[in-house]
Amino acid sequence: MLRWLFLLLVAVGAVSYMERDRLAPYAPPALAALMKGSDTGAAKGDGASGKRGGRGNGAPVAVDVAVATKGALPVLRETIGTILPVASTVMTSETTGTVAAIAVPDGAAVKRGDLLVSLDDRTAKAQIAKDQAAIDRDQVTLDQANRNLSRAQSLVKSGAYNTQQGEDAQSATYSAQAVLNVDRAALAADEVALAKLQITAPFDGRLGAFSVSTGALVTPGTAMVLLTQSSPVYAAFTLPQEDLSLLQESLSAGSLGVSLRPAGARGETMEGKVAFIDNAVVAASGSVALRAVIDNPQGKLVSGQSISATVKAGERDDLVLVPTVAVQPRQDGSVVYVVKDDDTVTIRKVDVAFRVGETAGLSQGLEPGERVVTEGQGALSEGSKVTLPGEAAKDGSGKDGSGKDGSGKNGGHRKDAGTPVAEAGTGTATTAGAGEAAR
């Protein structure tokens, strides 16, 4: 058992030593320094002996690079929230009556003014007919009083009537007019009572399930159905109070937008504008509430539905942009591998403002135009020599593996070390350097 445990420890140690450059960035500082020290010692030993390959002998490492650019990135905040209706009303009865008919089915989409429920209106219509008859009767009385007034005024002028008789005729006319006005007011009140027996939609929206049926007796306040406005809707969510100033500035500038997707849904996101920031911070959570207005013409979003939201709080400019893969995490921050003009690498610490997708925005540590390594960082250390795409086939003198320089001309009759040639009589490919050594 102890022998197997010893062999396992030896294997782990060997792998750790071979991969020390990859593991050093993630190791504790003391261990990382020890690993770098061992790497330096190994490099010196390899340089002295000239027998080892790889990182130790300074062989160029093939890498991919990207050029840092100056630009701006959108300021994004991820959060979750819920859908709230702009308007939602429980339709109730204002009077006592019997349900005569339900005009629409459960869940129907309705427009403002559409009839939902009708109550028995026979009594109300009879009362209106009575009011109309009273108006007709009192209109006749008023007409007669006006004729009597006209005759009385003529007789007063001729001296047949005295002034008192003329005033009495005038008073009778006023009284008849007042009675007629009372009748008309009664008719208006009864027409309102009749309208209350027709329950209509106060706004466009979608109904829930009816809680009453035909023939049910309802009283004032009886809930019948819930009507909810389906478009637009509110997307309600919260963000940390640290973002409050940024959010208020973006709202004032009209650039505070949001993209949202229903929880668990796939497909296109829905866009909207933030219309409201609460005037108080929730002390328990240290967050501030926001609401965005979202067009919902197809009714995909419903009240109470959970959403994931990405708030767009403007843009931050004056950033140095690099691919996200170029930024490597370490215990003391983030670093990038910068390729200098002599094709050697320096490791530089950077400050990452934030990341958006596959792009990282750096606020410090890198200048626009500098080249950063995007692939192959694991084989690099400070001062490593690198080759870029298209240069891997060339040696240090600018000649490729066929002995030709960059212009395509032959660099001479001498065969470079490491160039495969065929030995006479064997048909086996060896290297010229190896042949010279064998001789």
Side-chain angles (χ1 to χ4, degrees):
M1 182 65 183
L2 292 178
R3 182 178 64 179
W4 288 109
L5 181 59
F6 175 75
L7 292 175
L8 178 61
L9 292 175
V10 170
V12 170
V15 172
S16 300
Y17 179 78
M18 296 298 295
E19 299 295 331
R20 58 189 179 277
D21 286 340
R22 291 178 180 268
L23 298 177
Y26 306 98
L31 182 57
L34 179 62
M35 297 172 73
K36 290 179 180 178
S38 63
D39 183 60
T40 303
K44 292 179 179 178
D46 291 345
S49 63
K51 296 180 180 180
R52 296 185 183 179
R55 291 189 291 260
N57 64 0
V61 179
V63 297
D64 289 337
V65 299
V67 179
T69 60
K70 185 176 181 179
L73 286 179
V75 180
L76 305 180
R77 296 292 185 268
E78 302 289 339
T79 185
I80 57 175
T82 56
I83 296 298
L84 299 178
V86 173
S88 182
T89 301
V90 177
M91 306 304 299
T92 61
S93 172
E94 296 184 51
T95 185
T96 299
T98 303
V99 176
I102 296 178
V104 291
D106 292 345
V110 296
K111 299 291 185 179
R112 180 178 180 179
D114 286 353
L115 178 63
L116 306 180
V117 179
S118 297
L119 300 183
D120 188 357
D121 58 3
R122 291 174 295 175
T123 301
K125 287 182 177 180
Q127 185 62 44
I128 288 176
K130 181 179 179 181
D131 294 338
Q132 189 62 54
I135 289 174
D136 295 341
R137 178 196 63 198
D138 293 332
Q139 182 67 53
V140 172
T141 302
L142 177 60
D143 292 343
Q144 182 61 43
N146 285 328
R147 288 192 293 270
N148 291 340
L149 176 61
S150 180
R151 286 195 296 268
Q153 288 174 341
S154 298
L155 292 173
V156 169
K157 289 180 180 180
S158 65
Y161 274 11
N162 57 31
T163 305
Q164 180 63 46
Q165 289 174 316
E167 291 176 353
D168 290 343
Q170 183 71 58
S171 297
T173 301
Y174 289 156
S175 178
Q177 182 65 56
V179 172
L180 182 60
N181 290 340
V182 170
D183 294 339
R184 288 172 176 169
L187 175 62
D190 289 337
E191 287 176 341
V192 172
L194 176 62
K196 290 180 179 180
L197 300 176
Q198 305 290 316
I199 300 172
T200 59
F203 50 81
D204 297 355
R206 186 175 180 182
L207 298 174
F210 283 93
S211 57
V212 296
S213 58
T214 302
L217 177 66
V218 295
T219 58
T222 300
M224 295 185 178
V225 66
L226 175 65
L227 174 62
T228 301
Q229 183 173 336
S230 55
S231 183
V233 295
Y234 285 136
F237 48 88
T238 60
L239 287 174
Q241 61 181 337
E242 290 78 9
D243 293 329
L244 183 56
S245 297
L246 175 64
L247 296 173
Q248 290 174 334
E249 292 176 2
S250 299
L251 181 63
S252 299
S255 59
L256 189 56
V258 62
S259 300
L260 60 87
R261 180 184 295 109
R266 297 179 180 177
E268 297 182 358
T269 59
M270 306 182 73
E271 304 290 333
K273 287 287 187 180
V274 175
F276 166 77
I277 299 177
D278 204 355
N279 60 356
V281 173
V282 180
S285 60
S287 59
V288 61
L290 299 91
R291 285 184 182 179
V293 179
I294 309 295
D295 288 331
N296 187 36
Q298 299 180 356
K300 294 181 179 180
L301 302 175
V302 299
S303 178
Q305 186 175 11
S306 297
I307 57 170
S308 57
T310 301
V311 181
K312 302 175 182 177
E315 288 188 345
R316 179 171 175 181
D317 51 11
D318 295 330
L319 294 176
V320 178
L321 308 182
V322 298
T324 301
V325 294
V327 182
Q328 299 292 305
R330 286 192 175 183
Q331 286 188 338
D332 56 347
S334 299
V335 298
V336 294
Y337 290 76
V338 181
V339 179
K340 298 189 294 186
D341 292 339
D342 60 355
D343 287 346
T344 60
V345 167
T346 181
I347 303 175
R348 191 179 302 172
K349 187 175 181 181
V350 294
D351 292 337
V352 181
F354 49 89
R355 295 176 172 86
V356 177
E358 297 181 354
T359 303
L362 310 181
S363 58
Q364 290 183 357
L366 194 66
E367 295 297 329
E370 292 189 292
R371 298 177 297 173
V372 294
V373 178
T374 58
E375 185 176 351
Q377 297 97 320
L380 301 176
S381 59
E382 182 68 31
S384 295
K385 188 77 173 180
V386 298
T387 58
L388 306 182
E391 299 179 0
K394 296 182 179 181
D395 61 16
S397 63
K399 298 176 181 179
D400 60 22
S402 64
K404 298 181 180 180
D405 58 19
S407 63
K409 297 179 181 180
N410 196 310
H413 297 287
R414 182 183 58 85
K415 296 181 178 62
D416 292 334
T419 302
V421 297
E423 290 186 347
T426 65
T428 304
T430 66
T431 63
E436 293 290 337
R439 294 188 186 93

